[in-house]
Amino acid sequence: MSGNLSWWIDVLVALLLVLSGVFALAAAVGVLRFKTFFQRMHPPALAFTFAAWCVTLASIVYFSAQDDRLALRSWLIIIFLALTVPVTTILLARTELFRRRTSTGGSGEIPPPLNHESAAPAPADHQR
């Protein structure tokens, strides 16, 4: 780091970056250990997002201390990730669900589409 910054800023930035690495490693282990596609979606979506938050906070602390003013440019990165990661995760899940529904060997545990009309009979008029 820079020689003109306080030691506690260097320690805080280093801890945030190490914590980011721990989250990324946990996500990688989760991807390797889980068996199904839907289980494997969660570690990257959650843990990598936490890792990105740690890197963003480390960047804000470091550049704010270096410039002697609040540096919030890094917030654009995390705002972009906060908006795009859930959307991407939902699109991946819907794509996999569609793929499983259209495959020839689909199992019975796949839920029907939301616009699927149920075979339940319409309620009968009650006459007295």
Side-chain angles (χ1 to χ4, degrees):
M1 306 251 171
S2 178
N4 60 355
L5 295 180
S6 301
W7 64 272
W8 65 271
I9 292 174
D10 289 341
V11 169
L12 180 62
V13 169
L15 285 175
L16 284 169
L17 292 176
V18 167
L19 187 61
S20 172
V22 169
F23 279 128
L25 181 64
V29 169
V31 167
L32 290 175
R33 290 190 52 124
F34 289 134
K35 304 288 186 239
T36 66
F37 175 81
F38 292 109
Q39 291 173 340
R40 289 181 178 169
M41 283 177 43
H42 293 287
L46 297 176
F48 285 145
T49 302
F50 290 145
W53 272 96
C54 290
V55 170
T56 302
L57 290 175
S59 173
I60 289 170
V61 168
Y62 179 76
F63 289 113
S64 293
Q66 186 179 21
D67 297 340
D68 290 330
R69 63 183 174 91
L70 193 57
L72 295 178
R73 293 181 302 264
S74 300
W75 280 108
L76 293 174
I77 297 167
I78 204 63
I79 288 171
F80 179 73
L81 282 174
L83 292 174
T84 58
V85 167
V87 172
T88 305
T89 304
I90 290 170
L91 288 175
L92 284 171
R94 289 180 59 107
T95 302
E96 177 65 12
L97 196 57
F98 177 77
R99 197 184 110 234
R100 288 185 183 190
R101 284 184 184 140
T102 57
S103 69
T104 56
S107 65
E109 61 189 43
I110 300 171
L114 291 177
N115 60 358
H116 178 72
E117 294 182 21
S118 65
D125 292 333
H126 295 286
Q127 296 178 353
R128 294 186 185 203

